[in-house]
C-alpha cells in the first residue's frame, strides 16, 4: 500500500472519529447545558424584574423590558398583580395558553410531571410537558417581593431542533473534510514520496556500482534532505573506496606479472646454465 493511500485513510479515520465524538458529545451534553443555561437565565431575569418593582419603575417600562427579554431569550412571560388581577405579558395573544399551562403546573405542583431544576423560598423552576400540544417547557413560577406572581416558560423543543441541525452540519463538515483529506493527502504524500522514490533509485544505482546519480536537496533542509546528503556522502565514500581497491588491484596484478616474469627469467637462466 502506497504512502498516499495510507495517509488518506489515516486522515479519514481521524476525521470520522472526531465527527462521531462531537455528535456523541452534542447528544449527551448540549441539551443538559442548554437547560442549565436557561435555568440560570430565568433566575437572573426574575431578579431583574423583582428589582424593577422594588425600585418603583414605571409599569410601561417594565412591559417594554419584558417584551425585549422575551424576544431575546425566546420566553413567554406573564405577571399577575394579586391586588388588581391585572396581567402583564409580552404577548397578549398567548395569555390563554399561558394561563392554561400555569394551571397545569399549579395543579400538578406535587405530582411527577417534571424534573425540579431549582427550588427556593419564592421561586421554583421545573420541566413540564403540555400534553395538549405535546411540547416540553422549562417553567419558572415565583412570587415577587410585592406579592405579584411571575410566570415564565421557554420551549425545550428548540434545543432538539438545534441539536438535529448541529449534527447535520457536523456530518456535512465531515463529508467535506474527507474530500479535503484526499486532496491534502495527495499533496503531502507527493511532497514526501517523490524524494523517497528518488533516493530509492539512487540506492539501486549504487548497488550496481553506478555512482553518477546524486540527490539534490531542497531548500527546506528537512530530514529527507539530510538523508539524501548522507546517501551522497556514502556514495562518494564507496566510489573512492572501490577506486582505491581497483588501483591496488591493478598494482597487485602488475607486481604478480613482474614476479612471474622474473621467475620465468630465473628458470630460463638456470636451464641455460645447466645446458652449458
Amino acid at each position: 500500500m502506497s504512502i498516499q493511500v495510507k495517509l488518506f485513510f489515516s486522515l479519514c479515520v481521524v476525521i470520522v472519529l472526531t465527527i462521531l465524538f462531537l455528535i456523541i458529545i452534542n447528544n449527551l451534553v448540549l441539551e443538559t447545558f442548554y437547560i442549565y443555561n436557561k435555568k440560570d437565565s430565568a433566575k437572573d431575569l426574575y431578579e431583574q424584574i423583582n428589582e424593577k418593582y422594588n425600585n418603583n419603575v414605571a409599569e410601561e417600562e417594565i412591559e417594554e423590558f419584558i417584551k425585549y427579554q422575551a424576544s431575546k431569550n425566546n420566553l413567554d412571560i406573564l405577571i399577575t398583580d394579586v391586588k388588581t388581577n391585572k396581567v402583564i405579558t409580552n404577548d397578549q395573544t398567548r395569555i390563554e395558553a399561558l394561563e392554561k399551562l400555569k394551571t397545569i403546573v399549579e395543579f400538578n405542583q406535587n405530582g411527577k410531571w417534571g424534573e425540579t431544576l431549582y427550588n427556593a423560598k419564592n421561586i421554583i423552576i421545573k420541566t413540564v410537558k403540555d400534553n395538549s400540544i405535546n411540547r416540553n417547557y422549562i417553567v419558572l413560577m415565583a412570587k415577587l417581593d410585592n406579592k405579584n406572581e411571575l410566570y415564565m416558560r421557554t420551549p425545550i423543543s428548540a434545543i432538539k431542533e438545534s441539536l438535529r441541525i448541529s449534527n447535520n452540519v457536523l456530518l456535512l463538515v465531515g463529508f467535506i473534510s474527507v474530500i479535503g483529506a484526499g486532496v491534502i493527502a495527495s499533496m503531502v504524500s507527493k511532497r514526501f514520496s517523490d524524494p523517497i522514490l528518488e533516493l530509492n533509485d539512487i540506492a539501486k544505482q549504487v548497488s550496481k556500482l553506478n555512482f553518477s546519480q546524486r540527490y539534490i536537496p531542497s531548500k527546506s533542509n528537512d530530514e529527507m534532505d539530510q538523508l539524501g546528503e548522507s546517501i551522497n556522502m556514502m556514495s562518494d565514500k564507496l566510489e573512492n573506496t572501490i577506486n582505491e581497491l581497483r588501483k591496488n588491484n591493478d598494482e597487485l596484478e602488475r607486481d604478480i606479472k613482474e614476479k612471474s616474469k622474473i621467475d620465468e627469467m630465473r628458470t630460463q637462466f638456470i636451464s641455460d646454465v645447466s645446458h652449458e
Side-chain angles (χ1 to χ4, degrees), residues 53-275:
Y53 274 106
N54 290 339
N55 293 333
N56 296 318
V57 175
E59 189 173 292
E60 293 77 9
E61 185 177 340
I62 293 177
E63 288 182 6
E64 290 300 319
F65 176 76
I66 287 174
K67 289 179 181 179
Y68 171 76
Q69 292 295 332
S71 175
K72 177 182 176 182
N73 298 299
N74 190 27
L75 291 168
D76 289 318
I77 303 174
L78 184 146
I79 300 175
T80 303
D81 190 323
V82 293
K83 295 180 180 179
T84 62
N85 288 328
K86 182 178 179 180
V87 174
I88 302 175
T89 182
N90 61 294
D91 189 348
Q92 293 291 333
T93 62
R94 297 188 182 181
I95 289 181
E96 184 177 349
L98 291 173
E99 290 285 2
K100 178 182 177 182
L101 187 55
K102 181 180 176 183
T103 302
I104 294 174
V105 174
E106 290 174 340
F107 180 76
N108 293 281
Q109 185 69 28
N110 298 319
K112 297 180 181 180
W113 52 269
E115 178 187 359
T116 299
L117 305 177
Y118 182 80
N119 192 357
K121 182 178 179 181
N122 294 323
I123 180 173
I124 183 170
I125 304 176
K126 284 194 172 187
T127 57
V128 63
K129 181 176 182 180
D130 187 347
N131 291 320
S132 62
I133 56 175
N134 194 29
R135 179 172 292 184
N136 294 314
Y137 291 96
I138 297 174
V139 176
L140 176 144
M141 293 184 63
K143 282 192 176 182
L144 303 173
D145 291 344
N146 62 0
K147 304 304 181 182
N148 287 351
E149 295 178 352
L150 172 64
Y151 174 80
M152 288 189 289
R153 74 171 185 180
T154 183
I156 300 178
S157 56
I159 186 59
K160 295 185 182 297
E161 180 64 17
S162 299
L163 182 61
R164 185 185 64 81
I165 294 173
S166 176
N167 288 338
N168 289 339
V169 170
L170 285 174
L171 291 174
L172 178 61
V173 169
F175 177 74
I176 295 174
S177 299
V178 168
I179 296 176
V183 177
I184 294 173
S186 177
M187 296 173 60
V188 173
S189 63
K190 184 175 178 61
R191 169 68 182 85
F192 288 100
S193 62
D194 286 353
I196 291 175
L197 292 174
E198 183 180 354
L199 291 172
N200 185 49
D201 290 337
I202 294 174
K204 288 181 179 179
Q205 294 300 319
V206 170
S207 68
K208 298 176 183 178
L209 302 182
N210 178 9
F211 306 103
S212 61
Q213 192 171 348
R214 288 290 185 272
Y215 178 79
I216 302 176
S218 63
K219 296 180 180 180
S220 59
N221 193 28
D222 55 14
E223 289 82 355
M224 198 65 66
D225 289 341
Q226 294 174 10
L227 176 61
E229 291 175 353
S230 297
I231 289 181
N232 288 342
M233 292 174 59
M234 180 187 69
S235 178
D236 290 338
K237 289 183 178 180
L238 282 174
E239 184 178 15
N240 292 334
T241 301
I242 290 175
N243 288 336
E244 186 70 24
L245 287 173
R246 284 174 177 172
K247 180 180 178 181
N248 293 336
N249 188 54
D250 291 340
E251 291 178 355
L252 181 61
E253 286 181 356
R254 285 196 300 269
D255 291 343
I256 292 173
K257 287 180 180 180
E258 186 69 24
K259 182 179 179 182
S260 177
K261 184 177 180 180
I262 292 173
D263 287 341
E264 288 178 358
M265 291 176 62
R266 181 182 297 137
T267 301
Q268 183 65 36
F269 175 77
I270 293 173
S271 177
D272 291 342
V273 170
S274 298
H275 181 71

Side-chain angles (χ1 to χ4, degrees), residues 29-40 73-74 138 154-160 162:
V29 175
L30 190 59
E31 184 172 350
T32 302
F33 177 78
Y34 172 85
I35 292 175
Y36 179 83
N37 187 61
K38 282 295 183 180
K39 177 197 70 175
D40 285 349
N73 298 299
N74 190 27
I138 297 174
T154 183
I156 300 178
S157 56
I159 186 59
K160 295 185 182 297
S162 299

